[in-house]
Amino acid sequence: MVSKRIQKALLGNSAIRAMFVEGKAMAEKYGAENVYDFSLGNPATPAPAALNDAIRALLDESDAIEGGSLELHGYMENAGYSEVRQEIAENLNKRFGTGFDAHNIIMTVGAAGGLNIIFKTILDPGDEVIVFAPFFGEYRQYAANFDAELVTVQPNEADFQPDLTDFEAKITSKTKALIVNTPNNPTGVIYKPETMKKIAEILERKQQEYGTDIYLISDEPYRELVYDGNLEDFLTKYYKNTLVGYSFSKSLSLPGERIGYVVVPNEASDAEDLIRGIEISNRTLGFVNAPSLIQKAVARCLDEKTDVAFYDENRVMLYEGLTKLGFTCIKPEGAFYLWVKSPVVNEEDFVNEGKKYNILMVKGSAFGCPGYVRLAYCVSHETVKKSLAAFAKLAETYR
Amino acid sequence: MVSKRIQKALLGNSAIRAMFVEGKAMAEKYGAENVYDFSLGNPATPAPAALNDAIRALLDESDAIEGGSLELHGYMENAGYSEVRQEIAENLNKRFGTGFDAHNIIMTVGAAGGLNIIFKTILDPGDEVIVFAPFFGEYRQYAANFDAELVTVQPNEADFQPDLTDFEAKITSKTKALIVNTPNNPTGVIYKPETMKKIAEILERKQQEYGTDIYLISDEPYRELVYDGNLEDFLTKYYKNTLVGYSFSKSLSLPGERIGYVVVPNEASDAEDLIRGIEISNRTLGFVNAPSLIQKAVARCLDEKTDVAFYDENRVMLYEGLTKLGFTCIKPEGAFYLWVKSPVVNEEDFVNEGKKYNILMVKGSAFGCPGYVRLAYCVSHETVKKSLAAFAKLAETYR
């Protein structure tokens, strides 16, 4: 007998599972090259060569020392190797003018692990966590892990910058955190500095009003994936109660390795308790520590980046192609997603119509925002190019 | 403001933290070679050379293929690479006569990750999980993560095989699982086949009586660390509702890499729901999947084992040395721990007395069994040898 929550999840999970199975079945039936699978946010550009080289060097250096493998593959503090954390701190300081040292950085099992140990550290049952719709659907599970409520701010369909009026209205005395994800999954929008400043002002005001701490949690897997001359941003400068959850999954194309980090700035309320609490949560939730070898490898690749130009080419081709066909698209400024307005009210009908042309898209309601679909353009150029003819046929349906 | 649970943990955590800090301070003051730190269960034997060689080969093979890094460092199913799971299944079948295939194996972020995703899958708030004292203290946190109660069976001080009378008395209609850890941390005892058969009989009877499923969760990080001709055992053969949580941390000496697996046999009740539930829990708790490169590396090292003879030498030296000095010790049959009866009722006094001779031991109450201490003999031979003179002085105190 599985638990009641998992019984529910087994039912709810079937929609996405069905899509995955459907994609596989389509690929078998029509050939993978004739299926336009935009459903998965899975990197399409290889890791920089420097990554495998760093791993090789670490193995060689370790083998040259008696018992070296005990250090390379061994336990370290739950927060990670201190020299790795120091290097990350210095790299952030160099790039963003921050003032971190090793103790502000906790290495994590990806950003998903990072968000969960932050949540475990700050959330009591019944606490509220605010998100701006549309949002990465897993946030709902992460909040539920700690019996907290996810409170959704309605989407701003003009430009998908957050709706700040609704945001302010949704803050209560129970609000413990706001999650911000910019560049955004699923819209590709980057929140403007003015937006961030206004969010900070609202949070400051509401903290004062309620006498509470409200943490801004910045989920940053797409930090380095920015286009059109947009600058990489780092949110701790806007608001002192900012906690950062970073992942190397996209910037270094190693999502399977589960490596990221959390940043707790000194100026955050109760920073030392947060740091120790996050370390404890890392252990007690069962992560224990971020994987050891890959911690050391990414520390040697902090100035490396996967091929952003590759995604940019897809972005331009898909955005311009679909716009020309008459679809209403939000122009992506970062990440690798295109957010498209469904030509019919119920976007599930649009998703199903797309399947007839071997196009796989994800319904917006999976991101708390019906009426839209998400296209993940982390696919080959060839797939994007060939998909345009299929989209043309799909567009015909709605003429 | 951290959560109420973490506030409590910050207080409770300080004892072990203090010991860690104390050990470091001692090493600085007296020199590491003059401190006998038996406090940490951290492997002391290097990983087999085959491990680093396997990683090198995987990197080379991947680099030889266009886009190979996308597979090597990429996402796979949440349960892990299917070929890795198939190889593990076949290796278990070969060694233990089981009949698993890939779908019975879920790759996990170590055994700690494995236990947590099992717990998330089966436990509702208020459910009870039984453990035999003494036990690995983290089980308490893992159960608390899902609002379940840990129910402790009293220790059997005769030989530290479980007290089956008390066990049977502790089973209620709320009992969802029993955790078994053999070879045992902290006693080093291996549960005899007869013991396991009796446990299975009791569980079968109680399942019938209450009309419930009671899962036996076998936590097996020490499976391969057995001495004196004891055989490696695999518990699914005793009881059909057995779930296994395995870790490569000790067998391959790579505790920092966080790699292990869960086994769900077909004959377990609701096996398919369990498997899917554990996959979902792996994702939603934030693990997502076990680290990718190291999954493939351990699959190539399934018949490898770290240097068990090294630990055996320490085991014999420490057990015989302390016994000769008049200490009452449980003879370890596996793992790398020696369980010693405190010569005084309050074992914390004994632990403190030991510190005067630079000996670091862990109090039994940390394992739910006061009156004893644990010595982790995963240290150098030299440390064990030199410690005996210090133990001799400690013994004098209690003459």
Side-chain angles (χ1 to χ4, degrees), chain A residues 75-90:
Chain A
Y75 282 128
M76 78 300 301
E77 286 178 66
N78 295 132
Y81 291 109
S82 57
E83 72 277 12
V84 167
R85 295 153 62 204
Q86 183 64 29
E87 282 178 54
I88 288 171
E90 287 172 14

PDB file of all heavy atoms in Angstrom, chain A residues 75-90:
ATOM      1  N   TYR A  75      33.527  11.558   1.874  1.00  0.00           N
ATOM      2  CA  TYR A  75      32.685  12.516   2.575  1.00  0.00           C
ATOM      3  C   TYR A  75      33.452  13.813   2.759  1.00  0.00           C
ATOM      4  O   TYR A  75      34.665  13.833   2.886  1.00  0.00           O
ATOM      5  CB  TYR A  75      32.337  12.014   3.987  1.00  0.00           C
ATOM      6  CG  TYR A  75      31.258  10.980   4.053  1.00  0.00           C
ATOM      7  CD1 TYR A  75      31.478   9.790   4.734  1.00  0.00           C
ATOM      8  CD2 TYR A  75      30.013  11.194   3.490  1.00  0.00           C
ATOM      9  CE1 TYR A  75      30.481   8.824   4.842  1.00  0.00           C
ATOM     10  CE2 TYR A  75      29.012  10.236   3.593  1.00  0.00           C
ATOM     11  CZ  TYR A  75      29.254   9.055   4.271  1.00  0.00           C
ATOM     12  OH  TYR A  75      28.267   8.115   4.378  1.00  0.00           O
ATOM     13  N   MET A  76      32.725  14.887   2.772  1.00  0.00           N
ATOM     14  CA  MET A  76      33.287  16.175   3.192  1.00  0.00           C
ATOM     15  C   MET A  76      32.219  16.793   4.091  1.00  0.00           C
ATOM     16  O   MET A  76      31.247  16.126   4.439  1.00  0.00           O
ATOM     17  CB  MET A  76      33.641  17.039   1.976  1.00  0.00           C
ATOM     18  CG  MET A  76      32.538  17.756   1.260  1.00  0.00           C
ATOM     19  SD  MET A  76      31.207  16.751   0.544  1.00  0.00           S
ATOM     20  CE  MET A  76      32.070  15.694  -0.585  1.00  0.00           C
ATOM     21  N   GLU A  77      32.367  18.035   4.500  1.00  0.00           N
ATOM     22  CA  GLU A  77      31.282  18.665   5.246  1.00  0.00           C
ATOM     23  C   GLU A  77      29.986  18.571   4.441  1.00  0.00           C
ATOM     24  O   GLU A  77      30.028  18.596   3.215  1.00  0.00           O
ATOM     25  CB  GLU A  77      31.601  20.153   5.469  1.00  0.00           C
ATOM     26  CG  GLU A  77      32.667  20.413   6.513  1.00  0.00           C
ATOM     27  CD  GLU A  77      32.962  21.904   6.626  1.00  0.00           C
ATOM     28  OE1 GLU A  77      32.073  22.658   7.051  1.00  0.00           O
ATOM     29  OE2 GLU A  77      34.081  22.304   6.255  1.00  0.00           O
ATOM     30  N   ASN A  78      28.846  18.515   5.107  1.00  0.00           N
ATOM     31  CA  ASN A  78      27.572  18.428   4.393  1.00  0.00           C
ATOM     32  C   ASN A  78      27.370  19.594   3.418  1.00  0.00           C
ATOM     33  O   ASN A  78      26.652  19.475   2.432  1.00  0.00           O
ATOM     34  CB  ASN A  78      26.393  18.395   5.373  1.00  0.00           C
ATOM     35  CG  ASN A  78      26.385  17.151   6.242  1.00  0.00           C
ATOM     36  OD1 ASN A  78      26.223  17.231   7.452  1.00  0.00           O
ATOM     37  ND2 ASN A  78      26.577  15.990   5.647  1.00  0.00           N
ATOM     38  N   ALA A  79      28.028  20.705   3.666  1.00  0.00           N
ATOM     39  CA  ALA A  79      27.883  21.878   2.798  1.00  0.00           C
ATOM     40  C   ALA A  79      28.758  21.797   1.548  1.00  0.00           C
ATOM     41  O   ALA A  79      28.613  22.613   0.647  1.00  0.00           O
ATOM     42  CB  ALA A  79      28.220  23.143   3.563  1.00  0.00           C
ATOM     43  N   GLY A  80      29.641  20.798   1.498  1.00  0.00           N
ATOM     44  CA  GLY A  80      30.518  20.679   0.333  1.00  0.00           C
ATOM     45  C   GLY A  80      31.962  20.989   0.680  1.00  0.00           C
ATOM     46  O   GLY A  80      32.266  21.458   1.774  1.00  0.00           O
ATOM     47  N   TYR A  81      32.848  20.715  -0.274  1.00  0.00           N
ATOM     48  CA  TYR A  81      34.272  21.012  -0.091  1.00  0.00           C
ATOM     49  C   TYR A  81      34.442  22.516   0.108  1.00  0.00           C
ATOM     50  O   TYR A  81      33.941  23.319  -0.706  1.00  0.00           O
ATOM     51  CB  TYR A  81      35.071  20.607  -1.329  1.00  0.00           C
ATOM     52  CG  TYR A  81      35.175  19.123  -1.562  1.00  0.00           C
ATOM     53  CD1 TYR A  81      34.503  18.514  -2.615  1.00  0.00           C
ATOM     54  CD2 TYR A  81      35.977  18.317  -0.753  1.00  0.00           C
ATOM     55  CE1 TYR A  81      34.616  17.149  -2.854  1.00  0.00           C
ATOM     56  CE2 TYR A  81      36.092  16.942  -0.987  1.00  0.00           C
ATOM     57  CZ  TYR A  81      35.414  16.370  -2.035  1.00  0.00           C
ATOM     58  OH  TYR A  81      35.520  15.026  -2.268  1.00  0.00           O
ATOM     59  N   SER A  82      35.195  22.916   1.131  1.00  0.00           N
ATOM     60  CA  SER A  82      35.308  24.352   1.401  1.00  0.00           C
ATOM     61  C   SER A  82      36.058  25.081   0.285  1.00  0.00           C
ATOM     62  O   SER A  82      35.738  26.224  -0.025  1.00  0.00           O
ATOM     63  CB  SER A  82      35.938  24.601   2.771  1.00  0.00           C
ATOM     64  OG  SER A  82      37.185  23.987   2.836  1.00  0.00           O
ATOM     65  N   GLU A  83      37.021  24.410  -0.352  1.00  0.00           N
ATOM     66  CA  GLU A  83      37.757  25.119  -1.421  1.00  0.00           C
ATOM     67  C   GLU A  83      36.870  25.308  -2.658  1.00  0.00           C
ATOM     68  O   GLU A  83      36.986  26.317  -3.361  1.00  0.00           O
ATOM     69  CB  GLU A  83      39.090  24.424  -1.758  1.00  0.00           C
ATOM     70  CG  GLU A  83      39.008  23.109  -2.504  1.00  0.00           C
ATOM     71  CD  GLU A  83      38.754  21.913  -1.588  1.00  0.00           C
ATOM     72  OE1 GLU A  83      38.404  22.118  -0.390  1.00  0.00           O
ATOM     73  OE2 GLU A  83      38.870  20.774  -2.074  1.00  0.00           O
ATOM     74  N   VAL A  84      35.984  24.367  -2.905  1.00  0.00           N
ATOM     75  CA  VAL A  84      35.031  24.522  -4.015  1.00  0.00           C
ATOM     76  C   VAL A  84      34.102  25.702  -3.730  1.00  0.00           C
ATOM     77  O   VAL A  84      33.852  26.554  -4.588  1.00  0.00           O
ATOM     78  CB  VAL A  84      34.211  23.226  -4.216  1.00  0.00           C
ATOM     79  CG1 VAL A  84      33.002  23.466  -5.132  1.00  0.00           C
ATOM     80  CG2 VAL A  84      35.092  22.111  -4.774  1.00  0.00           C
ATOM     81  N   ARG A  85      33.609  25.752  -2.505  1.00  0.00           N
ATOM     82  CA  ARG A  85      32.690  26.832  -2.118  1.00  0.00           C
ATOM     83  C   ARG A  85      33.385  28.186  -2.196  1.00  0.00           C
ATOM     84  O   ARG A  85      32.802  29.185  -2.629  1.00  0.00           O
ATOM     85  CB  ARG A  85      32.134  26.559  -0.724  1.00  0.00           C
ATOM     86  CG  ARG A  85      31.271  25.307  -0.703  1.00  0.00           C
ATOM     87  CD  ARG A  85      31.238  24.622   0.655  1.00  0.00           C
ATOM     88  NE  ARG A  85      30.664  25.466   1.657  1.00  0.00           N
ATOM     89  CZ  ARG A  85      30.919  25.344   2.976  1.00  0.00           C
ATOM     90  NH1 ARG A  85      31.764  24.430   3.416  1.00  0.00           N
ATOM     91  NH2 ARG A  85      30.343  26.143   3.823  1.00  0.00           N
ATOM     92  N   GLN A  86      34.660  28.218  -1.793  1.00  0.00           N
ATOM     93  CA  GLN A  86      35.411  29.463  -1.857  1.00  0.00           C
ATOM     94  C   GLN A  86      35.572  29.922  -3.310  1.00  0.00           C
ATOM     95  O   GLN A  86      35.407  31.109  -3.624  1.00  0.00           O
ATOM     96  CB  GLN A  86      36.785  29.280  -1.189  1.00  0.00           C
ATOM     97  CG  GLN A  86      37.646  30.540  -1.132  1.00  0.00           C
ATOM     98  CD  GLN A  86      37.029  31.643  -0.265  1.00  0.00           C
ATOM     99  OE1 GLN A  86      36.300  31.366   0.685  1.00  0.00           O
ATOM    100  NE2 GLN A  86      37.284  32.903  -0.620  1.00  0.00           N
ATOM    101  N   GLU A  87      35.859  28.981  -4.194  1.00  0.00           N
ATOM    102  CA  GLU A  87      36.049  29.352  -5.607  1.00  0.00           C
ATOM    103  C   GLU A  87      34.753  29.863  -6.225  1.00  0.00           C
ATOM    104  O   GLU A  87      34.761  30.813  -7.014  1.00  0.00           O
ATOM    105  CB  GLU A  87      36.603  28.172  -6.408  1.00  0.00           C
ATOM    106  CG  GLU A  87      38.098  28.019  -6.167  1.00  0.00           C
ATOM    107  CD  GLU A  87      38.699  26.831  -6.904  1.00  0.00           C
ATOM    108  OE1 GLU A  87      38.509  26.745  -8.130  1.00  0.00           O
ATOM    109  OE2 GLU A  87      39.355  26.002  -6.251  1.00  0.00           O
ATOM    110  N   ILE A  88      33.649  29.245  -5.863  1.00  0.00           N
ATOM    111  CA  ILE A  88      32.360  29.720  -6.361  1.00  0.00           C
ATOM    112  C   ILE A  88      32.076  31.121  -5.819  1.00  0.00           C
ATOM    113  O   ILE A  88      31.643  32.014  -6.561  1.00  0.00           O
ATOM    114  CB  ILE A  88      31.240  28.720  -5.997  1.00  0.00           C
ATOM    115  CG1 ILE A  88      31.390  27.460  -6.861  1.00  0.00           C
ATOM    116  CG2 ILE A  88      29.852  29.346  -6.175  1.00  0.00           C
ATOM    117  CD1 ILE A  88      30.497  26.313  -6.474  1.00  0.00           C
ATOM    118  N   ALA A  89      32.334  31.313  -4.537  1.00  0.00           N
ATOM    119  CA  ALA A  89      32.116  32.637  -3.925  1.00  0.00           C
ATOM    120  C   ALA A  89      32.930  33.698  -4.664  1.00  0.00           C
ATOM    121  O   ALA A  89      32.401  34.763  -5.041  1.00  0.00           O
ATOM    122  CB  ALA A  89      32.501  32.597  -2.449  1.00  0.00           C
ATOM    123  N   GLU A  90      34.194  33.410  -4.920  1.00  0.00           N
ATOM    124  CA  GLU A  90      35.057  34.398  -5.584  1.00  0.00           C
ATOM    125  C   GLU A  90      34.619  34.646  -7.010  1.00  0.00           C
ATOM    126  O   GLU A  90      34.680  35.780  -7.498  1.00  0.00           O
ATOM    127  CB  GLU A  90      36.517  33.935  -5.526  1.00  0.00           C
ATOM    128  CG  GLU A  90      37.090  34.087  -4.120  1.00  0.00           C
ATOM    129  CD  GLU A  90      38.472  33.459  -3.951  1.00  0.00           C
ATOM    130  OE1 GLU A  90      39.112  33.132  -4.978  1.00  0.00           O
ATOM    131  OE2 GLU A  90      38.893  33.303  -2.786  1.00  0.00           O
TER     132      GLU A  90
END
